[in-house]
Amino acid sequence: MSDNTDILADKDKRKSLRKLAGAAGIAMTAPFSPVLMGHALGSDRPIKVGMQLHRTGIGASYGRWYERTAVATVKLINEEGGINGRPVELVIEDDGTDPKRGAEAIEKFATWHKTDVAYGTLFSHVVIGSSPRAGELKLPYYVVSEGYHVASGSLNRYVFQPGITDVRSQMVSMAPWIAANLGKKVTMIFPDYAFGHDHRDYFSAAIAEQGGEVLEMIPIPPTESSFTRYFPKIPRQTEVLYHVLVGPGVLTFVKEMGQFFGTRDRPRIFGYIDSLEAVDFATPQLEFLQGTHFWEAFPRYAQPDQTQHDQYFRGQVGVDNNGASVNDPRDISTYSHMFGCWETLFIIKQAMEICGYSGPEDRQALIEATESLTEFPESRNHPQGGKTFNGKIHQCFGIQHISRVEDSRLNVVHTTSIEDGLYEPEADYTQMAL
Amino acid sequence: MDLGPFLFLASLEGLVQAAVLSLSALGLCLVFGVLRVVNVAHGEFYMAGAVIAWAISHALPGQPLLGFLAALFLAPLLVGLAAFIADRAILRKINHNPEATIVATIGMLYVIQQSALIGFGPDARPMEPPFYFHVNFPWFGYSGYKLSVILMAAALLLFVWYVISRTRLGLFMRATQLDREMAQVSGIPVGWVYGLVFAAGAMLAALGAVLIAPIRQVHYLMGLDPLLMSFIVVIIGGLGSIRGALLAALVIGMCDGIVSMFFSPTLAKMISTLLVALVLILRPEGLFGQRKPL
């Protein structure tokens, strides 16, 4: 790490000298050429952030809120003077929540829009499909995806996940609480693609460490629309049913789960909020969830100990204290994910300021500057909570919450620490060529 | 879960699937039988039915039963009207030519799907069922509405059978299917029959969708799966054979339900598709289709 910092320091020095020389030259010619002056400083050209957005396809409800959050963040950054004195412009491309279109969006950002960075992808199959193209085109790619694919080292040096904790860390931090409070014999229901496989692999490992075991794994295709047929596979001796699902069918999934259990004895239920992101807990037929637990990264319902940063974030993005849009109480946010868009943009800004980013020729310096970051203290720019960042695996680590459903709302019952979620890194992107 | 209850639940799921599938497959089958048109946009008429049903039930908040009944009546009617117009405006202009209509209906697929995306939005939205009634079997719980879907679909299928076999319109349809030119010289308004059958096919798909909307959610991409399944059913049953389509819908629906539960839904799809391949190789006219004279 120290080597990198030194390189960076050298680069910084060179850059400062170059800038100084440039500024001196401009100062001499400035009276004669005001147009040239503006151009040389670059103040007229905005910094373009290419947002790869799930506007349509199975990730659309996340996309809607990712867009609102990104727009609010850019507005705030611009009101405060932009990045390095230049305004930020959000360029949005819809990827249809499809890996192939995702890769095309990356190409479009690099070659057509000529954006400075790409940003904002959630669904892990889109991230995995787009990353190779971002690496080839040397376009820094900041994802807000949660999957373990970034930290695992399976992508490349141009891909970062600095604004949201990965699934493996979430599993490691919560498994002890689940084993101690809910039970040790677990059945898992998860979406049958990369993101779900992270749950499968790392939760089963984490619960085994606690002396527990996974009795049955039930994968469900993310485009599935009918779920009753999966539930009979839940073994009778299951103590905890662990569910995580994404896609347009999530509400049907949870409802059919309730119908299946009916009024009989059922296992304790621990869910990822993904199974009900953008869905109102007060929806009919969800009453059976009373007393069950959910993971949340950022509590959807404002808690009694709400921080001023949470309050500020809700105000800027337009979310009320129940996690719904201020304009429409039925429009529920994806609160446990979208903060990542806010935080990631501020991290891009921070990294660009460190390396004095002035244009695409500084992309490599931007990569090194991002890798040099180590900590994001809880603040207005990081409302979800303080985080540490490991530049070698391009991944941040933050706190997690476990909430209980009480009267159709979620109340936090346990919060993990950053240390709870740390694991031994398996990769080092800084060794890869730029 | 023990084998008995497990099989029971699988059969229930299979029956619900078969009920809805038989409606949409029957629509596809009618259109092919009478018009010789392979309607690739069939799934989108299904989706449009669900979207309209959602809009109607959404416009009548707090009255789920009224909303559902209104949707059951109005959504197929509106979809049928749109299909009728599409037939007059597009398919008729290309003389219902089999190759050209495939391309034309692919176009319709995109137009309907993207219109739904623009108008309805990209989200999956729940439609409230007309009633909440929960059946608690000793081994598992089951939605009462789902059970009612099986009965409603059976009633609708009986009605379709009545129209086809006992009414004048049904006679016209059967005559046109047997021999278009003879029907025309006998004074049957073949052009109108074409339009009406195309509309009826779309209406059947829409009916299936209205029944399924309160169980699943309404989404602009929901038409793809029923399209594939309907094609599987129609090919296995025999293109144009109504009896074959109904029987194949029951077999495929039940097989899908049972294999999905005992093994995996992906395997169920693979088996259905494999069955199509086998039928095409061994009996290209389908189980109940008529072999064309050489």
Side-chain angles (χ1 to χ4, degrees):
Chain A
M1 186 61 79
S2 61
D3 289 352
N4 289 330
T5 331
D6 288 341
I7 294 168
L8 194 75
D10 280 354
K11 281 209 163 185
D12 266 352
K13 275 181 219 155
R14 280 206 300 276
K15 193 156 284 179
S16 304
L17 283 172
R18 205 163 65 204
K19 271 193 177 165
L20 197 66
I26 288 158
M28 287 196 293
T29 53
F32 311 106
S33 174
V35 177
L36 182 69
M37 181 181 143
H39 184 72
L41 280 176
S43 59
D44 57 337
R45 200 186 76 86
I47 288 192
K48 285 186 174 181
V49 174
M51 184 173 196
Q52 193 188 32
L53 191 71
H54 306 326
R55 200 173 249 165
T56 56
I58 61 170
S61 48
Y62 286 94
R64 182 173 69 245
W65 283 97
Y66 268 41
E67 181 172 358
R68 287 178 189 163
T69 310
V71 167
T73 321
V74 166
K75 183 167 167 271
L76 182 64
I77 290 176
N78 283 336
E79 279 168 7
E80 294 177 345
I83 298 177
N84 292 336
R86 287 163 52 191
V88 178
E89 183 189 331
L90 205 58
V91 181
I92 295 176
E93 281 287 339
D94 177 21
D95 60 21
T97 327
D98 176 75
K100 187 172 169 289
R101 277 183 64 185
E104 288 165 4
I106 293 289
E107 277 170 27
K108 224 170 156 184
F109 287 143
T111 56
W112 175 252
H113 297 297
K114 301 203 188 314
T115 63
D116 295 279
V117 296
Y119 149 86
T121 324
L122 169 69
F123 272 64
S124 55
H125 61 321
V126 184
V127 171
I128 292 169
S130 307
S131 294
R133 212 61 197 108
E136 285 158 15
L137 295 164
K138 299 195 182 298
L139 181 69
Y141 181 36
Y142 295 83
V143 302
V144 188
S145 154
E146 253 189 350
Y148 180 60
H149 34 266
V150 179
S152 69
S154 63
L155 303 179
N156 59 65
R157 198 162 176 190
Y158 283 80
V159 189
F160 290 90
Q161 185 157 256
I164 191 163
T165 309
D166 70 275
V167 170
R168 182 177 177 186
S169 168
Q170 292 168 352
M171 306 283 97
V172 172
S173 67
M174 291 187 299
W177 190 91
I178 295 172
N181 294 282
L182 300 180
K184 291 186 173 175
K185 289 180 179 163
V186 185
T187 291
M188 296 184 73
I189 299 180
F190 54 88
D192 196 8
Y193 76 116
F195 170 69
H197 298 166
D198 286 348
H199 281 264
R200 177 192 67 192
D201 297 344
Y202 296 107
F203 182 76
S204 50
I207 200 80
E209 248 175 58
Q210 302 301 318
E213 59 172 327
V214 174
L215 301 178
E216 184 75 42
M217 306 219 190
I218 306 176
I220 299 185
T223 49
E224 182 61 278
S225 57
S226 175
F227 303 90
T228 302
R229 51 196 173 185
Y230 295 94
F231 298 123
K233 290 182 190 146
I234 302 169
R236 202 176 288 143
Q237 58 275 39
T238 301
E239 291 171 358
V240 186
L241 178 64
Y242 176 107
H243 67 90
V244 51
L245 208 72
V246 293
V250 289
L251 178 58
T252 312
F253 166 72
V254 180
K255 276 185 180 174
E256 291 192 349
M257 181 158 67
Q259 283 165 2
F260 177 78
F261 286 125
T263 49
R264 294 167 310 125
D265 281 346
R266 58 165 166 78
R268 290 183 167 151
I269 297 177
F270 179 86
Y272 249 58
I273 193 65
D274 304 49
S275 295
L276 281 178
E277 276 288 60
V279 175
D280 192 349
F281 270 83
T283 305
Q285 293 186 291
L286 295 189
E287 299 83 7
F288 80 99
L289 288 173
Q290 172 81 7
T292 69
H293 293 86
F294 277 91
W295 160 82
E296 287 190 290
F298 203 14
R300 177 192 294 185
Y301 296 87
Q303 301 294 308
D305 59 349
Q306 181 193 29
T307 64
Q308 65 186 69
H309 307 306
D310 179 46
Q311 208 171 11
Y312 183 81
F313 174 73
R314 282 176 199 261
Q316 290 291 310
V317 182
V319 179
D320 68 15
N321 280 343
N322 293 322
S325 164
V326 286
N327 301 317
D328 179 2
R330 284 170 307 180
D331 185 0
I332 311 293
S333 66
T334 55
Y335 207 68
S336 272
H337 295 83
M338 63 203 219
F339 69 87
C341 291
W342 175 281
E343 299 202 7
T344 303
L345 267 178
F346 280 108
I347 291 161
I348 295 173
K349 172 177 151 75
Q350 190 181 348
M352 283 183 166
E353 285 168 354
I354 289 174
C355 68
Y357 185 89
S358 59
E361 66 280 5
D362 292 334
R363 278 177 183 159
Q364 297 186 352
L366 178 63
I367 296 291
E368 287 171 333
T370 313
E371 284 170 349
S372 75
L373 299 169
T374 56
E375 207 173 343
F376 312 121
E378 182 174 1
S379 61
R380 188 204 68 177
N381 296 357
H382 299 281
Q384 189 261 346
K387 291 179 186 61
T388 60
F389 182 73
N390 186 332
K392 287 185 176 171
I393 56 172
H394 290 191
Q395 177 62 51
C396 75
F397 296 88
I399 59 169
Q400 314 299 327
H401 305 279
I402 294 173
S403 303
R404 196 177 137 91
V405 184
E406 286 160 353
D407 301 325
S408 298
R409 61 170 273 145
L410 286 162
N411 295 325
V412 174
V413 293
H414 177 69
T415 299
T416 67
S417 70
I418 295 178
E419 291 69 32
D420 290 341
L422 295 180
Y423 50 78
E424 200 55 45
E426 294 179 319
D428 186 356
Y429 284 116
T430 59
Q431 301 299 313
M432 287 184 180
L434 267 172
Chain B
M1 196 183 275
D2 297 328
L3 186 67
F6 197 75
L7 200 63
F8 180 44
L9 179 58
S11 312
L12 284 181
E13 282 291 290
L15 272 176
V16 174
Q17 170 94 344
V20 176
L21 187 57
S22 53
L23 282 173
S24 70
L26 185 60
L28 192 69
C29 175
L30 269 184
V31 171
F32 183 79
V34 178
L35 278 76
R36 298 278 138 189
V37 164
V38 177
N39 182 11
V40 184
H42 194 65
E44 303 313 311
F45 286 123
Y46 175 95
M47 179 272 291
V51 167
I52 295 171
W54 176 86
I56 292 171
S57 107
H58 196 67
L60 296 166
Q63 293 165 306
L65 184 61
L66 184 68
F68 178 77
L69 291 177
L72 199 59
F73 181 71
L74 286 176
L77 212 62
L78 289 171
V79 170
L81 187 69
F84 184 77
I85 294 170
D87 177 71
R88 302 298 276 186
I90 302 165
L91 302 186
R92 203 172 155 212
K93 302 273 186 242
I94 48 178
N95 296 322
H96 296 96
N97 172 299
E99 288 85 22
T101 47
I102 291 181
V103 181
T105 51
I106 290 176
M108 280 186 210
L109 179 154
Y110 283 118
V111 170
I112 301 172
Q113 191 182 86
Q114 294 303 305
S115 308
L117 177 60
I118 295 165
F120 174 76
D123 293 311
R125 296 169 201 248
M127 180 173 151
E128 213 170 325
F131 50 83
Y132 292 109
F133 172 61
H134 200 81
V135 185
N136 265 313
F137 295 110
W139 321 277
F140 57 84
Y142 206 71
S143 147
Y145 174 74
K146 270 191 179 178
L147 293 176
S148 74
V149 164
I150 302 173
L151 298 178
M152 283 191 280
L156 286 167
L157 287 172
L158 264 179
F159 176 71
V160 174
W161 169 81
Y162 176 80
V163 170
I164 292 175
S165 62
R166 295 281 184 275
T167 65
R168 201 172 175 76
L169 177 67
L171 184 70
F172 284 4
M173 278 164 57
R174 282 179 291 142
T176 312
Q177 176 169 8
L178 278 174
D179 192 324
R180 178 187 170 171
E181 280 166 13
M182 275 305 285
Q184 200 150 20
V185 290
S186 310
I188 293 175
V190 168
W192 280 94
V193 171
Y194 271 25
L196 287 177
V197 169
F198 194 70
M203 286 169 81
L204 282 169
L207 271 173
V210 178
L211 294 185
I212 207 80
I215 300 177
R216 299 181 189 170
Q217 294 175 79
V218 182
H219 188 237
Y220 79 104
L221 293 174
M222 71 189 289
L224 298 175
D225 212 32
L227 175 71
L228 179 71
M229 292 303 282
S230 300
F231 266 118
I232 289 176
V233 163
V234 170
I235 291 170
I236 291 179
L239 283 166
S241 160
I242 291 171
R243 196 168 43 137
L246 288 181
L247 197 71
L250 193 65
V251 170
I252 293 292
M254 290 298 284
C255 163
D256 195 67
I258 293 171
V259 176
S260 293
M261 281 186 56
F262 279 95
F263 302 99
S264 86
T266 316
L267 185 70
K269 290 263 181 321
M270 283 161 65
I271 290 178
S272 311
T273 323
L274 196 68
L275 223 55
V276 168
L278 280 178
V279 165
L280 285 176
I281 294 167
L282 301 174
R283 204 178 148 83
E285 68 279 10
L287 298 181
F288 289 87
Q290 279 170 0
R291 202 181 285 268
K292 273 188 190 165
L294 289 169

